[in-house]
């Protein structure tokens, strides 16, 4: 019986350790920071990773150095926004309007830009499904 109890504590300790390692990867954006950016369009350096901001009106917002890792920005209005130094890795920007946005120094590896209107006014085809020839 003592062996079973010891086994239980060892297993529960391992499960706890594994859970504590993977929990930060599951973290979502702070709801207060999401509310702040939607109300004031100002959130420099905020952590908005994994935020759900599809269809958001963020035109002219100041998102300098913001973390938008894996954020949902589908069809968001980001025209004339300051995204200098923003982390947009794995962000979903399908159909977002980035006309006039400043993306200087923004990190965009693996970002889905399919249909996004880029700062130069051109529609992006990056990340769009390929049509067969």
């Amino acid at each position: 019986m003592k062996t079973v109890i010891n086994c239980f504590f060892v297993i529960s300790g391992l499960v706890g350790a594994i859970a504590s390692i993977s929990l930060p990867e599951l973290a979502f954006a702070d709801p207060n920071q999401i509310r702040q950016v939607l109300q004031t369009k100002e959130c420099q350096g905020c952590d908005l990773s994994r935020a759900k901001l599809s269809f958001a009106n963020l035109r002219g917002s100041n998102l300098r150095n913001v973390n938008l890792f894996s954020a949902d920005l589908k069809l968001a209005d980001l025209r004339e926004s300051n995204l200098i130094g923003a982390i947009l890795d794995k962000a979903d920007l399908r159909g977002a309007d980035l006309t006039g946005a400043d993306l200087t120094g923004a990190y965009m590896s693996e970002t889905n830009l399919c249909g996004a209107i880029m700062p130069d006014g051109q529609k992006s085809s990056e990340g769009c499904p390929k049509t067969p020839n």
Side-chain angles (χ1 to χ4, degrees), residues 39-120:
Q39 290 174 351
T40 68
K41 297 184 182 181
E42 174 81 29
C43 206
Q44 289 189 61
C46 286
D47 183 359
L48 298 174
S49 54
R50 293 183 173 80
K52 305 295 182 206
L53 295 166
S54 56
F55 298 96
N57 179 2
L58 298 171
R59 184 176 186 167
S61 58
N62 186 358
L63 301 174
R64 185 181 191 106
N65 298 317
V66 71
N67 181 359
L68 288 162
F69 171 82
S70 202
D72 179 358
L73 291 158
K74 286 189 295 285
L75 298 167
D77 185 353
L78 291 160
R79 290 176 287 174
E80 292 118 29
S81 292
N82 177 351
L83 290 160
I84 295 172
I87 297 169
L88 293 162
D89 187 33
K90 298 189 180 180
D92 190 346
L93 288 157
R94 285 180 288 175
D97 193 342
L98 295 160
T99 305
D102 191 342
L103 294 162
T104 305
Y107 180 71
M108 298 177 65
S109 174
E110 295 185 46
T111 301
N112 191 338
L113 295 169
C114 182
I117 301 169
M118 300 307 288
D120 63 2

Side-chain angles (χ1 to χ4, degrees), residues 1-33:
M1 183 65 169
K2 189 175 181 181
T3 305
V4 171
I5 291 172
N6 286 341
C7 250
F8 172 76
F9 285 120
V10 168
I11 292 171
S12 62
L14 287 172
V15 169
I18 292 168
S20 68
I21 290 169
S22 60
L23 279 179
E25 294 175 12
L26 301 175
F28 289 89
D30 180 350
N32 294 322
Q33 289 185 344

